[in-house]
Amino acid sequence: MRAFIAVPILMVMLTGRSCRPSNAESPFSYTIQKSVVAGNGAVVSAHPLASRVGVEILKQGGNAVDAAIAVQLALAVVYPGAGNIGGGGFMVAHLQDGRNIAIDYREAAPAAASRDMYLDSSGNPVMSLSQRGHLSAGVPGTVAGLFASLKYGSLPFENLIRPAIELAEKGFAITASEANGLNRLQEDFKRYNSSKTAFEKESGWNTNDTLLQPELAETLKRIRDNGQKGFYEGETARLIVEEMKKGNGIITRDDLMNYAAKERTPVVFDYKGYTLVSMPLPSSGGIIIEQCLKMIENKGIEQMGFHSADAVQLMVEAERRAYADRAEYMGDPDFYKAPVARLVEADYLEKRMADFVPGKAGSSESVKAGQFPKESEETTHISIADKWGNMVAVTTTLNDHYGSRTVVSGAGFVLNDEMDDFSVKPGVPNMYGAIGTEANAIVPGKRMLSSMTPTIILKENTPFLVVGTPGGTTIPTSVFQSIVNVIDFKLSPSDAVNKPKFHHQWLPDEVFVEEDFPAATLDSLRQMGYKITPRGKIGRTEMIKIKKEGQEYRLEAVADHRGDDAAEGY
Ligand code: DON
């Protein structure tokens, strides 16, 4: 293994037209750029090396979809706690010819899964089974998603996967937060794997250590050479099934062969003259932001002031109502007939807000209060815009940090623990405190309900915004806030992303706030009757704001300051 690299990873903030030759840097010495203004293309992702790969693809003449494929593959290597080929995700895109697309490559329940598979003999949920190890994994969707996206790209797949293979084979320097994350999980890697993984290091990980992933490199080469079959059939499939046998997992060769990404009709709606395009079921994200934005649309929020108690209260009450609907009505549309059209009807949403009283806290029915989750950052979002007017938003996940903690032996990639996103028992909160009912019960082949909200916005049919974030159930509420921050409060993209955020999800009936949320606003909210619960960071939002100038675009890209997230452009 290559020894330490001497050059520290620097944190730099750059704005203004990007003329920095950042791409000349090596994977062993790189900087994290938090914002950039570019004219040709911009990429924001959770890791500077992945953002850089995206810009390289754009420079080669690839479009935003090509870049999104390459960035996802690079993230599977340089951000292995969330970037993945063993998980799933969603892509929402607006193409230069005017089409809006949504690709669903969410994981699916294996054929041998059953409704009560995570309950013990007394009917109590065993969360360790749905959240850790082999049995917590759904059938991975990411590789199918990449190939489903490929038809909208323009470069050969080989070009898109090459950077990821190199990073896995030759290694790269890890950041301080990656080193800390890996050190925290050493025991879990031992417990949930029968052979040593690339992520284990006896002496502990340090900033700038090299992470080498030779087995992952071989898996990526099989995908390069054999396409989707390089993952879902042949040697990789054999290794996945072998791994399953080691830990009571149930994913079979047939599950892998039968997996297919699905094109869905995106959620499209207007908000104050803007057109929003977001992810439909099996993500709740698009419906939740449509419900929330429509519930506040005619309430004059723009007059209330950013972070004012009135504005926060209004948004919290909209969130409460949307999450109550999520728990009751939302699930994979191929298995459960969700009343989608009804949920977003103007009359219905107006009625939902009929009992909203400004200045007085509403109250959630106490079905079963969820425990709010630990802080977590295990999903990852990518925002990309190119010079042709293509916009791509991708959110992809392993669910928890390093997913199930199980690495497929011989194939070098982490398996998701997405099964926990199903409702393992009605009313029992999952890892994110979300509860569900029949709509999201486990059925073989069904996809678990998600909160991921990759979103793009147009203004008069012209690209305006690309946005998304990780954060479990805080995803739709973070995207909701980011959009209101830009459209209603006219905040700069940097402030819209980085200013403290809040969250309400119906149950538990509490307003969660980041630690640095303005104290005066919190005092007012307490007086209105809200329970305020400070918590860790909310989301890692990646935003690109786009302005058409003549025939060209001005792309203002911002990476969240809460993580190693980085913006690149040219
Ligand atoms: O699909 C979902 O909603 C969750 N599995 C997302 C998990 C997540 O965002 C974790 N990171 N914060």
Side-chain angles (χ1 to χ4, degrees):
M1 182 174 281
R2 196 191 278 238
F4 281 67
I5 331 107
V7 188
I9 295 161
L10 300 173
M11 299 286 287
V12 290
M13 301 281 289
L14 293 185
T15 50
R17 286 222 177 244
S18 173
C19 47
R20 193 176 64 103
S22 63
N23 296 330
E25 295 170 353
S26 91
F28 299 99
S29 157
Y30 50 88
T31 53
I32 294 177
Q33 176 172 263
K34 287 296 182 189
S35 66
V36 66
V37 178
N40 291 306
V43 179
V44 198
S45 82
H47 199 286
L49 293 174
S51 297
R52 193 198 299 175
V53 163
V55 167
E56 280 303 312
I57 294 296
L58 294 174
K59 283 185 176 169
Q60 284 172 31
N63 65 20
V65 176
D66 291 308
I69 294 169
V71 172
Q72 286 175 85
L73 287 161
L75 283 172
V77 181
V78 299
Y79 195 61
N84 67 82
I85 54 172
F90 301 120
M91 172 187 280
V92 169
H94 173 79
L95 305 178
Q96 80 192 98
D97 63 10
R99 273 180 298 169
N100 295 319
I101 56 167
I103 303 179
D104 161 11
Y105 42 105
R106 183 70 162 164
E107 300 91 325
S114 58
R115 186 189 182 96
D116 297 337
M117 64 188 279
Y118 299 115
L119 304 184
D120 65 16
S121 52
S122 321
N124 297 318
V126 187
M127 293 321 223
S128 56
L129 291 180
S130 66
Q131 296 178 2
R132 295 284 178 273
H134 302 67
L135 196 59
S136 66
V139 182
T142 295
V143 174
L146 300 180
F147 283 97
S149 317
L150 196 59
K151 66 170 178 282
Y152 300 108
S154 59
L155 294 182
F157 187 73
E158 198 186 343
N159 296 28
L160 309 180
I161 200 168
R162 188 180 303 129
I165 294 172
E166 272 180 26
L167 287 162
E169 208 158 41
K170 298 184 184 154
F172 64 96
I174 61 170
T175 63
S177 54
E178 190 64 61
N180 291 337
L182 284 170
N183 288 336
R184 275 198 302 273
L185 294 183
Q186 291 298 296
E187 280 311 307
D188 274 8
F189 288 132
K190 282 198 187 78
R191 185 172 320 146
Y192 297 109
N193 293 284
S194 47
S195 41
K196 194 173 176 199
T197 67
F199 307 118
E200 285 160 78
K201 193 172 183 215
E202 288 303 323
S203 54
W205 291 95
N206 292 303
T207 309
N208 284 339
D209 277 357
T210 297
L211 179 61
L212 286 166
Q213 299 172 83
E215 290 182 347
L216 177 58
E218 291 310 309
T219 301
L220 294 171
K221 285 180 196 168
R222 286 192 291 275
I223 297 169
R224 176 195 63 194
D225 298 340
N226 304 309
Q228 188 164 329
K229 290 185 176 172
F231 184 86
Y232 292 97
E233 297 178 34
E235 179 65 0
T236 313
R238 188 187 70 76
L239 290 166
I240 295 172
V241 174
E242 278 304 300
E243 185 60 52
M244 285 294 126
K245 288 181 190 148
K246 293 181 192 162
N248 297 321
I250 55 173
I251 297 175
T252 62
R253 266 178 181 272
D254 280 351
D255 287 326
L256 294 164
M257 285 255 282
N258 293 337
Y259 184 87
K262 297 182 184 183
E263 289 228 11
R264 305 266 185 199
T265 306
V267 168
V268 181
F269 63 98
D270 287 334
Y271 177 68
K272 297 187 177 173
Y274 295 83
T275 306
L276 281 85
V277 183
S278 191
M279 194 65 209
L281 293 172
S283 181
S284 59
I287 300 174
I288 291 180
I289 60 164
E290 179 170 2
Q291 287 191 313
C292 286
L293 287 165
K294 290 293 182 189
M295 280 190 263
I296 69 160
E297 191 168 20
N298 60 2
K299 300 261 187 293
I301 193 165
E302 64 284 358
Q303 314 295 337
M304 296 176 186
F306 171 66
H307 274 173
S308 67
D310 288 349
V312 174
Q313 190 215 357
L314 176 62
M315 293 172 77
V316 159
E317 291 302 328
E319 291 173 6
R320 180 200 305 283
R321 287 158 177 80
Y323 275 78
D325 282 353
R326 179 193 197 274
E328 185 63 29
Y329 298 119
M330 298 186 209
D332 182 344
D334 296 338
F335 287 78
Y336 183 83
K337 208 169 159 5
V340 177
R342 215 202 76 200
L343 290 173
V344 294
E345 258 170 27
D347 281 2
Y348 171 74
L349 293 173
E350 204 181 308
K351 279 192 203 115
R352 290 290 274 159
M353 284 301 266
D355 56 353
F356 162 69
V357 183
K360 186 166 180 294
S363 135
S364 300
E365 276 179 324
S366 56
V367 176
K368 174 132 187 173
Q371 293 297 305
F372 201 74
K374 56 192 178 5
E375 179 189 349
S376 120
E377 55 203 66
E378 293 57 57
T379 300
T380 191
H381 178 81
I382 306 163
S383 290
I384 303 182
D386 67 23
K387 63 182 172 191
W388 296 290
N390 297 298
M391 298 187 281
V392 176
V394 171
T395 316
T396 173
T397 187
L398 288 167
N399 199 22
D400 205 355
H401 195 206
Y402 281 86
S404 62
R405 315 279 157 87
T406 297
V407 177
V408 176
S409 181
F413 63 88
V414 181
L415 285 167
N416 67 84
D417 60 340
E418 219 75 59
M419 291 297 282
D420 191 62
D421 270 350
F422 278 117
S423 172
V424 303
K425 186 177 177 180
V428 170
N430 73 0
M431 190 186 294
Y432 302 100
I435 59 169
T437 50
E438 183 62 30
N440 191 31
I442 303 173
V443 179
K446 186 174 172 182
R447 300 179 184 201
M448 52 297 275
L449 184 63
S450 174
S451 300
M452 295 189 285
T453 315
T455 299
I456 54 187
I457 303 182
L458 300 145
K459 192 181 180 186
E460 287 151 11
N461 289 325
T462 304
F464 176 70
L465 204 78
V466 190
V467 64
T469 181
T473 44
T474 68
I475 294 173
T477 52
S478 296
V479 171
F480 172 43
Q481 284 168 80
S482 300
I483 292 170
V484 171
N485 288 350
V486 170
I487 292 182
D488 290 301
F489 298 127
K490 310 285 179 226
L491 261 51
S492 67
S494 178
D495 282 348
V497 164
N498 292 320
K499 293 277 184 191
K501 294 211 158 66
F502 60 91
H503 170 74
H504 193 289
Q505 61 176 44
W506 180 50
L507 294 177
D509 191 351
E510 295 166 33
V511 182
F512 295 92
V513 293
E514 290 191 299
E515 309 258 344
D516 49 350
F517 207 87
T521 304
L522 298 183
D523 284 344
S524 302
L525 288 168
R526 279 191 198 96
Q527 276 164 21
M528 292 177 187
Y530 288 98
K531 179 172 180 211
I532 306 290
T533 308
R535 54 158 282 168
K537 296 181 174 119
I538 297 182
R540 308 278 186 280
T541 303
E542 323 287 23
M543 181 182 283
I544 303 176
K545 191 174 172 205
I546 302 154
K547 194 165 172 234
K548 195 156 190 191
E549 294 176 338
Q551 283 317 300
E552 306 204 331
Y553 294 101
R554 178 184 186 274
L555 311 170
E556 190 175 355
V558 172
D560 201 311
H561 71 175
R562 294 168 180 85
D564 292 333
D565 310 49
E568 293 283 341
Y570 84 107

